Structure formats: structure tokens, C-alpha cells
Amino acid sequence: MASVGAAVGLGNALRFPGLCAKYGGGTFLFVYLIALIVMGLPILNAEIALGRKVRGGAPKCMASLYKRAEPIGWASCFNSLIVAIIYAGILGWILVMVIKIAPLCSSAQATQSAEAGNYFFTQVLKSGKVSPLVLVCGICGWVLMYLCLRGGANSLSKTAKFTVVIPIILLFFMAVRGLLYSNSGEALRALFVPDFKAFLSAELWLNALGQVFFSLSILVGIMPAYGAYLPEGTNVFRDGIIIAAADFFVSLLSSVVLFTTLYGCGMQGEISQSGIVTAFMVYPVAITRFCGNGTVCAAVGVLFYSSLAMMAMQSAVSMAEAAANPVAEKFGLDKKRLVAVISLIGAAACVIFSTPVAEATLDISDHFANYFNILFLGIAECMVLGSKAKKVNLVGEINRYTRKAKMPYKPFVFSLKFLCPAVLISLTAWAVYHYAFIEHGMFGGYPLWAQAAFGWSVSLTVFASGFVIKLLSRPKKKFLRRIKAARRYRSFHREY
């Protein structure tokens, strides 16, 4: 349940439907599903099985495969921590909308669509130097996250029963309402019928393949950490299929909700690839137009944003757990105290998410941490996994407690060793080319100093963290070796 909660998040509810709209609906779904089976499942199973075998997070798993690869694991952990802080900032924004959507729906008759769409950014976030409401909601989000994190995987799995199941139920009811619109058939055709011309688009393939890595929460240190909690006898291959199926189902359900709702409200042209635009500019307008009754619209809005808040919290908690558990284990720290420190740092970061520059900060830092960093880390991890898969018998570990369905050996090794690195390298090359030549280094129109402050500095910190932690832990190891050598020396002389 905790792993399903890590995989099912805001990317499924907001970004996936936008990509479907941009790249021909059924065409994107088909390519995504193939990539999920061919690339997503092998990496997902490999990370979970390796975590169970080694009984540790990403750093310990990487070190078990290749000693010098430990910094890759630490970089993944700290990148996940930065993404957790970003998701917690979004969680604070969503909690604000839980409070604000009801009065917005009540005044919908006197509110223009443009006003409703720009309401959060103009009336709430940019109302002053610091928005007290956004700051308080951000801090409340970290309090909730701390309560989830302090109990470890057991607490996370119990939380996931609510933060995964309840949003799915709410999305299901919204999908039913969307299907009742008169033009729901047109919306479903746009979603499911493939546009065969789109198959020729290289951008479609790259985005569909990339979404698999981002959506499943692989290559970010989460799945090895959760795999370390699994008891012997667990069928890893079956669990991997359940996680991937749940991820795809929620993505599909969210797409049905978005397409039918926006088509029903006459807003089909407003579907955006950006999850932030969809959540805070498109959905407020759609919810205020949901029906003619302001009270019903308000209730739907509160329930919808509450479900998004649960998804955001589960994603942020999973990312924070991926960092907290290995650090506590490495340095022998008390897990609850470490989680409290992380929560305090995250709560302090909420200040910047409550200022007028929050949108730019989030946009830049999310693009670097959640895109560039994952691509580079993914290339390194896949190369290590692929080169050592035969040596450590990863397929045997995955299939150890399977019955009928098993992970095939040759396709698994081919995917890890050749296919996944090739796809990730292609994605990286395309992203760098797009950044350098199409946007001319001015990502999103932001100045270079802003990109350096909130983007490149984030990437530099992440990749430097692995080597810093290895250096910090080295003296301790030497000291322990000297103590053991001294004990052996004394023991030898006593026996002599």
C-alpha cells in the first residue's frame, strides 16, 4: 500500500491527462502502456527485490552492486528530499484551495471565468509579500507529513489506505458525473481513439517514455527503501504488477475525469500539460461551472481538492522517507528526531512558497529536480543495475517466491542493460537541446540568475551530496577498523 501510494500521486491526476490531450489521446496511452511493461516493470521489480535482498535504501543497494556507486544512491535520496519539499509546497497551495473553493463557487454567478482561473495566483499568492494563509497551510502540511513519517513503513501503509483509496473513490464519482454530460462521448473519443499521425512525433515517444519513469516513482530511491521492509516470502513480481496496474488505472481514471469535465464545461481547449496550471487555473473554473447549484459545486470542489491534497501528501511523504531511512541507518540516528528535523526545515521552506516569487521558484526547481536530475541519476542507476544483474542474480531474487507468472530473464537484462539507458540518454539529450537551443537557456522566460539560484544550485547540491556523505562516513569506518584491530591484537596476546 505504501508503494502504491508512492507511485500514485499528482503526476497521475494532473500531468498524465495533459500529456494525453497534447499527444493524441489513445496514441499516448498505447505508447505509455508498452513502455510501462517493457521498461517500468523491470526497473520497479529490480529496485524492490534489491531493497529486500540488501535490507537497505538506495545507497546500500548501489554499494552492494558496486562499491563506488554508493554516491549515486545518496544523490537519489537527497533529490527525493528536495522533491518532497516541492510537493509539500504544492500541498500547502492545495490546502488553501480546499478553504477557498467554497466561497469561490458561491460567488460564481458574479465571477468571470478569467477571474476564477487567476484567483489563486492573483488574489491569494500575490496578495502581499507573504501570504499568511498559504504559509499556515504549508506548515500544517508538514505537521501532517511528520505524523505519517515518524511511524515508518507501517504508518505509511496505514496512511495510504486513506490517501490512495479515498481519492480513487472521489475520482470515480467525478468520472460518473463527467459521463453524464451530453458531449461525454466526444470527450471519450478524444481520449481513447488514437491519432495515428501522432505516432510519427519523436516528442510523443520521449514524453510517454519519460512519464513512465516519473509516474512509477522509480530511480528516486523510494522503491529500494520500501523493499527493505518486505518480509521473506513476499512475491515481488506480483507486487510490482499490482503497483504498476494501480498507477495506470488512476492515471486513466484521472484522464476520464479531466476530459469529460472540461468537455462538459466547454473548456476542452484549456487542457494543459502543466499540472500546476490544471490544478490552480483550469479546475477552479470547471468546478464553478460544474452545475447551476453553488452549494453542490462547493461540495464537489472541497472533496476534489481534499483528494488532491491526499495524493500530494502521500507523494511528499514517500519522497521524504526515501531520504530519512538511509540517513538514520547510516549514521545511527534516531529516526523520529531526524524526521522532526526534516519537517522543521521543510516548514521553514514554506516561507518562500507563500511569496509572489513562489510560482517561479516552484517551476524552476521542479524542472531541475524532478526532470534533469532524475534523468542523469536514472542513466547511472540503470547502467549499474544492468551490468551487475547477472552477478547478483536479480531475476532469481524477483522470482524467488513466484508461482506461475515469472520475470523472464533475457528481456529483463536487455531492458536494464540496453533499452532503459538508451531511452534515458535520448531523453537527456533532447532536454538539454531544448533547454540550450530552443529556449536559449532561458527556461520558462526566467533570467539566468533565477535558474542558477533555484535550478542549477539544486542539481549541484544533489550530486555533491553523495560524495559529501561518503567522505563524512569514511573517518568513522577507519576509527571502527582501528578499534577492531586493537581488540584482535589484545586477544592474540592474551591467548599467547
Side-chain angles (χ1 to χ4, degrees), residues 2 17 24 71 120 188 213 225 256 272 303 306 367 374 382 394 418 426:
F120 177 78
L188 293 177
F213 297 110
V256 171
S272 172
L303 290 173
S306 296
H367 199 77
I374 289 178
C382 285
L394 264 180
F418 302 107
S426 301

Side-chain angles (χ1 to χ4, degrees), residues 194-478:
D195 177 8
F196 293 102
K197 292 180 181 178
F199 278 115
L200 301 175
S201 170
E203 194 173 331
L204 157 71
W205 286 84
L206 289 172
N207 276 284
L209 298 172
Q211 179 65 16
V212 169
F213 297 110
F214 307 137
S215 181
L216 275 181
S217 293
I218 51 180
L219 307 176
V220 292
I222 293 176
M223 294 306 170
Y226 284 171
Y229 289 109
L230 286 179
E232 291 296 326
T234 304
N235 189 335
V236 170
F237 186 61
R238 180 196 61 196
D239 284 1
I241 292 174
I242 291 171
I243 294 165
D247 177 79
F248 182 70
F249 171 74
V250 174
S251 297
L252 199 59
L253 183 61
S254 301
S255 300
V256 171
V257 170
L258 183 71
F259 273 67
T260 56
T261 301
L262 296 190
Y263 267 77
C265 296
M267 297 176 61
Q268 54 267 37
E270 303 297 323
I271 300 177
S272 172
Q273 183 180 345
S274 168
I276 299 299
V277 171
T278 302
F280 298 100
M281 297 183 72
V282 176
Y283 266 123
V285 180
I287 290 170
T288 55
R289 294 183 184 180
F290 196 72
C291 64
N293 190 315
T295 304
V296 174
C297 289
V300 169
V302 170
L303 290 173
F304 175 73
Y305 278 104
S306 296
S307 68
L308 283 188
M310 292 180 191
M311 286 185 174
M313 185 178 73
Q314 185 65 41
S315 297
V317 162
S318 300
M319 294 286 182
E321 172 68 14
N325 194 53
V327 171
E329 183 183 347
K330 181 75 173 180
F331 295 101
L333 302 175
D334 181 75
K335 177 78 175 292
K336 289 184 179 179
R337 291 183 181 179
L338 178 61
V339 166
V341 171
I342 292 173
S343 300
L344 287 173
I345 294 171
C350 288
V351 175
I352 197 166
F353 289 108
S354 58
T355 63
V357 299
E359 186 180 358
T361 304
L362 179 69
D363 202 9
I364 297 171
S365 58
D366 179 66
H367 199 77
F368 277 82
N370 224 0
Y371 192 72
F372 284 117
N373 291 3
I374 289 178
L375 289 175
F376 285 114
L377 290 169
I379 293 169
E381 181 180 321
C382 285
M383 286 182 170
V384 174
L385 285 172
S387 63
K388 302 295 181 180
K390 186 176 180 180
K391 182 181 177 181
V392 299
N393 192 19
L394 264 180
V395 175
E397 183 64 27
I398 293 169
N399 293 331
R400 190 140 61 99
Y401 299 104
T402 56
R403 294 177 183 176
K404 294 181 179 179
K406 294 181 181 292
M407 175 67 75
Y409 174 76
K410 288 185 178 179
F412 173 82
V413 174
F414 175 79
S415 179
L416 283 184
K417 197 170 184 178
F418 302 107
L419 185 59
C420 291
V423 168
L424 287 166
I425 290 170
S426 301
L427 278 168
T428 304
W430 178 80
V432 171
Y433 170 79
H434 195 269
Y435 176 82
F437 295 101
I438 296 178
E439 295 175 350
H440 302 290
M442 300 292 286
F443 168 69
Y446 300 117
L448 285 176
W449 69 264
Q451 296 177 60
F454 304 117
W456 293 114
S457 62
V458 168
S459 294
L460 183 63
T461 302
V462 164
F463 290 109
S465 64
F467 298 99
V468 170
I469 287 188
K470 195 165 184 180
L471 287 173
L472 288 174
S473 59
R474 189 173 292 172
K476 184 178 178 181
K477 287 183 179 179
K478 282 186 177 179

